[in-house]
């Protein structure tokens, strides 16, 4: 596994807020923490590294992000305690908890707890304008499609979606930045992205070349929502320079997660800091506009960490005892 620790060094001048844990008993707090993200060029890495810096600066605990294979691998790393925090989507989370992860078949990854809602991950397709591909139906037979890092949300679900829509393709894996470069160089035909918007790799691509950001027809969207744990989603036209009108796709929710054995007071303070400072989160990544407490109900998979659940319950977002890790 290729990893890279990105430790807290930035955002100090812009993200400082009053330390909410100054009087907290921190005797059982860790000296440092690391959050599992995904590949560079994707939203997980930008969101996770910025969030880790934000928490570290405000709670006085050294923190950083680690490049991983994405949600499925993050579930495994957090379950085993190799990483204390991670980012995941609900589909891979459910499969991992049920022992259906391809990384560890038969292992029920049940020592992972929800902490707070992040955002929805839209599934969208990007091609060069010069390719003439303007719809999913236009993707030529045998086209090479980049699906992101192996084991990522995109790699787990998008190939199945494409097959369901009748697309015949060759599969390519890699980081979003690498696949964007391959698309620009004509080495692949399409990139099937699943990441919070705006996706850094797409924004970079459209600065350098003309691209088509491809949505789904009504019929395609219905077929996918009928067969996968996703819902319809509209990418606003203002998200990308290349969109002239809103684009219909499908999406899956993301949550920040934590090893269930982490101290309750530590997780409580992290949840409080994150949920009460959305303006700071949005300054890290625009996808954080949906990282608000009202979206806590989107989690119907992971048990809640007691520290996170305490903050939500105290602030009018009820979580049943049966949904809290005991």
């Amino acid at each position: 596994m290729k990893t890279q620790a990105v430790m807290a060094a930035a955002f100090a001048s812009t993200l400082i807020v009053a330390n909410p844990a100054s009087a907290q008993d921190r005797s059982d707090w860790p000296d440092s923490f690391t959050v599992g993200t995904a590949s560079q060029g994707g939203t997980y890495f930008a969101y996770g590294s910025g969030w880790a810096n934000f928490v570290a600066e405000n709670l006085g605990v050294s923190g950083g992000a680690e490049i991983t294979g994405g949600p499925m691998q993050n579930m495994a790393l957090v379950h085993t305690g190799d990483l204390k925090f991670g980012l995941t989507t609900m589909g891979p989370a459910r499969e991992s908890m049920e022992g259906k992860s391809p990384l560890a078949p038969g292992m029920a990854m049940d020592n992972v707890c929800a902490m707070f809602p992040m955002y929805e991950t839209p599934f969208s397709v990007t091609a060069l304008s010069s390719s003439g591909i303007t719809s999913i139906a236009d993707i030529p037979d045998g086209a090479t499609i980049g699906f992101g890092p192996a084991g990522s949300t995109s790699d787990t679900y998008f190939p199945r979606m494409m097959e369901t829509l009748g697309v015949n393709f060759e599969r390519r894996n890699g980081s979003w930045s690498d696949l964007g470069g391959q698309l620009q160089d004509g080495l692949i035909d399409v990139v099937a992205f699943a990441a919070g918007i705006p996706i850094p790799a797409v924004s970079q691509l459209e600065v350098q070349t003309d691209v088509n950001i491809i949505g789904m027809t009504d019929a395609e969207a219905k077929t996918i929502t009928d067969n996968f744990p996703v819902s319809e989603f509209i990418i606003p036209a203002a998200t990308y320079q290349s969109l002239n009108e809103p684009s219909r796709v499908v999406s899956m929710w993301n949550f920040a997660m934590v090893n269930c054995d982490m101290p309750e007071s530590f997780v409580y303070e992290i949840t409080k800091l994150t949920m009460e400072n959305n303006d700071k989160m949005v300054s890290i990544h625009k996808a954080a506009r949906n990282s608000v407490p009202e979206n806590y109900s989107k989690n119907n998979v992971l048990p809640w960490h007691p520290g996170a659940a305490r903050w939500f319950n105290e602030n009018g977002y009820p979580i049943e005892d049966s949904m809290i890790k005991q």
Side-chain angles (χ1 to χ4, degrees), residues 91-253:
R94 182 182 295 279
E95 292 191 21
S96 297
M97 290 198 65
E98 293 176 349
K100 298 176 182 177
S101 170
L103 301 179
M107 177 188 288
M109 299 180 187
D110 55 4
N111 199 35
V112 179
C113 285
M115 193 162 48
F116 62 83
M118 293 168 55
Y119 54 80
E120 291 176 270
T121 287
F123 289 73
S124 62
V125 174
T126 299
L128 297 182
S129 297
S130 59
S131 71
I133 299 172
T134 61
S135 68
I136 291 176
D138 287 340
I139 298 175
D141 191 54
T144 302
I145 302 179
F147 288 105
S152 64
T153 300
S154 181
D155 184 53
T156 302
Y157 289 95
F158 229 149
R160 300 183 210 169
M161 293 179 183
M162 288 295 191
E163 289 168 355
T164 300
L165 294 176
V167 179
N168 181 27
F169 56 85
E170 295 292 329
R171 188 169 182 161
R172 183 75 57 85
N173 291 115
S175 72
W176 293 128
S177 294
D178 180 48
L179 292 174
Q182 291 186 47
L183 181 67
Q184 187 173 357
D185 293 341
L187 301 176
I188 59 178
D189 301 291
V190 169
V191 181
F193 287 97
I197 55 175
I199 302 168
V202 175
S203 298
Q204 182 65 29
L205 262 176
E206 62 178 359
V207 168
Q208 299 170 334
T209 189
D210 293 330
V211 298
N212 293 333
I213 298 171
I214 298 163
M216 295 180 178
T217 65
D218 291 351
E220 289 167 344
K222 185 177 188 309
T223 296
I224 298 304
T225 56
D226 285 348
N227 287 277
F228 295 91
V230 294
S231 56
E232 285 199 33
F233 183 89
I234 301 297
I235 299 177
T239 305
Y240 298 111
Q241 300 173 17
S242 304
L243 278 179
N244 296 318
E245 59 185 21
S247 177
R248 175 186 288 102
V249 293
V250 296
S251 70
M252 186 180 292
W253 267 94

Side-chain angles (χ1 to χ4, degrees), residues 25-55:
D25 177 9
R26 301 159 64 110
S27 59
D28 59 349
W29 285 25
D31 294 327
S32 63
F33 70 91
T34 305
V35 55
T37 59
S39 69
Q40 289 179 303
T43 304
Y44 263 28
F45 182 76
Y47 185 110
S49 57
W51 174 75
N53 287 331
F54 177 49
V55 171

Side-chain angles (χ1 to χ4, degrees), residues 41-113:
T43 304
Y44 263 28
F45 182 76
Y47 185 110
S49 57
W51 174 75
N53 287 331
F54 177 49
V55 171
E57 292 288 349
N58 285 280
L59 297 188
V61 178
S62 177
E66 188 165 301
I67 295 172
T68 69
M72 197 73 81
Q73 188 177 29
N74 291 342
M75 284 289 297
L77 292 169
V78 173
H79 169 74
T80 59
D82 290 325
L83 294 180
K84 302 305 182 185
F85 298 91
L87 312 180
T88 193
T89 40
M90 293 292 94
R94 182 182 295 279
E95 292 191 21
S96 297
M97 290 198 65
E98 293 176 349
K100 298 176 182 177
S101 170
L103 301 179
M107 177 188 288
M109 299 180 187
D110 55 4
N111 199 35
V112 179
C113 285

